[in-house]
Amino acid sequence: LRLLGVEETLRRIRGMFAFAYYEPSTQTLWLCRDRLGIKPLHYVSRGDVLYFSSEVKGIAAVLPLAIDPVRALFSIASVADDSLDRTCFRGVKQVPPGAALVCRRGHEPEVRRYYSPIDDFDEAYYRELDSAPEAHIVETFLKLFTHAVERTLMSDVRLGAFVSGGIDSSLVVAIARKTREDIPLFSADIAGEMSEIDDARRLASHLSCELHEVRFEPGQLLQEWARATWHYEYPIVRHVNAIPFMTVARLARSSGTKVVLTGEGADELFLGYPKLLARRFERIARGPVDTMMNLYGKLPGLREFLWPQLSPQPTDFLSLLAQDFQRQRIREPSLQKLAFLGEEGAREQYLTLEMLQESLHSLLHRNDRMGMAHSIEARFPFLDEELLRFGISLPAKFKIHRSTRFHNFKHPFLEDKWVTRAAARDLLPRELVHKRKNGFPMPGYRVVKVKPSFFRGGYVEDALSLSCDTADYITRRANPMHVARLAAVDLHGRLFEQGWSIQRATEHVLQHADAA
């Protein structure tokens, strides 16, 4: 840092980090966060005092904090933990991924970005990969990925892996197993038809690894809800599976494991989400509807009269405003750099960049908060810098691949994450190689029934002036999932605004909610 300077060091440094560095000569404090935001870093600026911590609770221990009601309530729409620089607390911000907060005496703190995922897109490298045969692409991926896994294996404590039986975590373990014989595996057996434990067992048997399982019943969601929310620091809405994730971390810790490998990042880097592939069928599926809309549109005002919900609504604007129009602001400069691919080509190539800057951030938050709840450090081979550069520049045709197999009803005859599946063919059982994306499935709030009394005397009742009649009505007539999400906001408010203990909040949940 002294030789190269902070900004040059940040451009060269690898891995995950969040640190503070003070330069006495210039009286400058640097708060620095890794490229993708794997580790959290929060701060509050009050007058001439700056408070910072890896957790909001660290700041709250010395400074009274209040929840931002707008961001808390809009978290029902799964937008709160996606933010790269905001939180649910007034005045509490995050140092954005790939950035440093520079604080000089007498000056306002300044955010300086040293990295954005679009920086890793190289047009010349893209063209080189685009003209390469498939065998070369797979070979290059395997080489980079093997090096990435090997780097994450360096540890002087017991190291294991979180697995679901999906292609990503399975491939991580298959590569790691070549170097390290003793890799215990940890997985959750979600009660019911969504359980993937058989695939995790198949992986453990194939690689001769010890599998540790924890059973997660519907009732445990209620028992662990408050504790998970306390560590998560947001209302748990988007990633309800954070709750069983925490129980897996507890299992790993109880076995003496302190470091785990995960497959996080593969879906973002190599397009593993079904909704991304389904885009290719959207135009065909919408054809008849679009034709009808165009016909009605020839009569002034008729289309808007018949389908007013299709016109931009103030509520849509408010939702985007609560998100700081983050997606829209990020997208524009990236699409400009990809313009040489044409409009449709640029949009498809941009999907990886979009996922790396949106959904990945909330997943990394889930992993860090739920893992560190039990002092578990997670490592992410798919987010290695060299592999990241390869994945960002890799043409979409090597991610979304035409197939003679039906594969997935959401995107028939298109195979997601083709390059990772091709690389895994000689390493994993066929069932795991071609397994469809499930994403740590669980019933979530579909099994939760909230009683009207849940909201009595709580944060939501105060923030919305929620009457008993309204609480009774919504718990009887509104979408139960929406009511459960509102309960998640209320639970967060009781813990962080009203100062409830985890035990008291847990007792409240068990008394005023049921799980089927």
Side-chain angles (χ1 to χ4, degrees):
L1 285 164
R2 288 178 180 151
L3 290 173
L4 298 175
V6 180
E7 291 183 270
E8 181 59 28
T9 299
L10 290 173
R11 281 189 283 269
R12 296 190 184 197
I13 199 169
R14 305 177 69 94
M16 56 183 181
F17 57 84
F19 66 85
Y21 176 71
Y22 182 67
E23 290 181 326
S25 60
T26 60
Q27 293 189 312
T28 302
L29 176 71
W30 296 74
L31 301 183
C32 309
R33 193 176 182 194
D34 63 66
R35 294 183 175 198
L36 296 176
I38 297 173
K39 302 304 291 183
L41 184 51
H42 302 88
Y43 69 94
V44 173
S45 180
R46 294 277 177 90
D48 59 350
V49 180
L50 185 79
Y51 303 83
F52 60 93
S53 175
S54 60
E55 298 183 49
V56 175
K57 291 187 287 293
I59 299 173
V62 296
L63 190 69
L65 295 179
I67 292 174
D68 181 332
V70 173
R71 298 192 68 83
L73 290 168
F74 269 97
S75 69
I76 293 174
S78 302
V79 300
D81 48 2
D82 271 352
S83 179
L84 301 177
D85 58 0
R86 301 293 183 92
T87 70
C88 278
F89 298 88
R90 287 177 176 171
V92 181
K93 297 182 179 180
Q94 302 181 66
V95 177
L101 187 74
V102 184
C103 312
R104 289 192 179 92
R105 187 178 296 277
H107 295 79
E108 287 294 316
E110 173 195 358
V111 174
R112 288 192 192 174
R113 293 188 176 274
Y114 66 88
Y115 173 81
S116 173
I118 190 61
D119 298 340
D120 271 330
F121 181 83
D122 185 325
E123 182 178 341
Y125 190 31
Y126 171 90
R127 294 186 185 279
E128 176 188 330
L129 294 172
D130 190 45
S131 61
E134 291 182 349
H136 174 75
I137 296 297
V138 175
E139 181 183 350
T140 302
F141 166 78
L142 262 177
K143 180 180 178 180
L144 291 171
F145 187 61
T146 299
H147 289 166
V149 172
E150 288 174 349
R151 279 191 283 269
T152 62
L153 290 175
M154 292 185 290
S155 175
D156 56 0
V157 297
R158 192 169 190 241
L159 179 146
F162 286 164
V163 299
S164 64
I167 178 69
D168 307 326
S169 57
S170 297
L171 187 57
V172 168
V173 177
I175 297 294
R177 191 72 174 77
K178 294 181 178 181
T179 305
R180 204 169 181 129
E181 290 186 3
D182 180 25
I183 301 182
L185 310 183
F186 302 92
S187 188
D189 179 9
I190 306 295
E193 60 184 17
M194 291 185 174
S195 178
E196 297 183 286
I197 197 64
D198 287 341
D199 289 321
R201 291 168 181 165
R202 184 177 288 111
L203 172 69
S205 175
H206 179 75
L207 297 177
S208 300
C209 292
E210 180 184 9
L211 177 65
H212 300 258
E213 305 173 15
V214 58
R215 180 77 169 173
F216 193 87
E217 301 285 348
Q220 286 178 263
L221 189 152
L222 300 183
Q223 294 167 9
E224 302 281 1
W225 199 358
R227 183 172 300 280
T229 301
W230 175 251
H231 290 290
Y232 200 74
E233 297 188 333
Y234 290 94
I236 296 179
V237 173
R238 180 169 188 162
H239 298 300
V240 184
N241 57 20
I243 301 175
F245 192 100
M246 186 178 70
T247 67
V248 178
R250 182 186 300 148
L251 175 68
R253 182 65 181 184
S254 68
S255 78
T257 300
K258 296 183 178 180
V259 176
V260 296
L261 307 183
T262 84
E264 217 70 83
D267 288 315
E268 288 73 21
L269 201 54
F270 299 110
L271 304 184
Y273 292 107
K275 66 179 180 180
L276 303 181
L277 280 72
R279 291 175 68 257
R280 291 194 176 185
F281 297 97
E282 190 175 326
R283 187 175 300 174
I284 298 173
R286 286 189 52 84
V289 177
D290 289 340
T291 300
M292 184 175 65
M293 291 294 182
N294 289 333
L295 288 173
Y296 278 111
K298 295 183 183 299
L299 298 175
L302 183 58
R303 181 170 54 192
E304 287 73 18
F305 176 75
L306 293 174
W307 294 283
Q309 72 276 10
L310 297 179
S311 301
Q313 300 295 312
T315 50
D316 300 329
F317 176 77
L318 283 175
S319 181
L320 292 173
L321 195 60
Q323 300 170 62
D324 304 311
F325 281 84
Q326 177 176 281
R327 172 182 291 183
Q328 290 73 16
R329 291 187 293 106
I330 290 173
R331 179 189 295 150
E332 194 170 310
S334 297
L335 287 177
Q336 289 176 358
K337 190 170 182 178
L338 300 172
F340 73 96
L341 295 171
E343 184 176 349
E344 188 57 36
R347 287 182 183 278
E348 191 155 83
Q349 192 66 28
Y350 176 68
L351 290 175
T352 288
L353 295 163
E354 182 176 84
M355 292 294 102
L356 287 173
Q357 296 173 96
E358 291 187 23
S359 68
L360 181 64
H361 190 256
S362 63
L363 287 170
L364 293 175
H365 177 83
R366 179 196 69 178
N367 282 36
D368 182 80
R369 295 296 82 208
M370 297 300 98
M372 293 307 294
H374 295 286
S375 301
I376 293 292
E377 176 192 314
R379 295 181 180 175
F380 310 91
F382 278 104
L383 301 182
D384 176 85
E385 283 80 357
E386 293 303 315
L387 189 62
L388 199 64
R389 177 176 174 268
F390 168 80
I392 288 173
S393 295
L394 184 67
K397 68 181 182 182
F398 295 120
K399 303 175 185 181
I400 301 175
H401 205 267
R402 295 188 183 278
S403 171
T404 56
R405 300 175 65 254
F406 191 78
H407 189 63
N408 192 321
F409 73 93
K410 296 178 181 177
H411 46 83
F413 308 113
L414 288 179
E415 192 169 41
D416 60 314
K417 288 184 295 193
W418 174 82
V419 66
T420 62
R421 296 184 190 278
R425 284 172 189 158
D426 295 331
L427 299 170
L428 296 171
R430 178 180 174 83
E431 297 90 342
L432 300 186
V433 171
H434 296 293
K435 183 181 176 183
R436 292 187 300 181
K437 168 70 179 175
N438 289 322
F440 202 165
M442 63 174 293
Y445 292 143
R446 286 191 293 274
V447 302
V448 175
K449 177 63 177 176
V450 176
K451 301 174 183 177
S453 55
F454 191 104
F455 300 103
R456 200 162 298 148
Y459 174 79
V460 166
E461 182 182 75
D462 181 60
L464 293 176
S465 298
L466 190 73
S467 69
C468 292
D469 288 344
T470 302
D472 179 68
Y473 178 82
I474 64 173
T475 52
R476 285 188 297 105
R477 304 301 297 272
N479 186 321
M481 286 274 287
H482 294 170
V483 177
R485 289 181 168 198
L486 187 63
V489 174
D490 186 75
L491 184 59
H492 177 264
R494 291 177 190 268
L495 289 165
F496 290 99
E497 179 101 342
Q498 298 182 337
W500 283 30
S501 68
I502 295 173
Q503 181 179 349
R504 183 183 177 189
T506 300
E507 291 171 352
H508 175 81
V509 169
L510 294 175
Q511 184 178 354
H512 301 288
D514 296 314

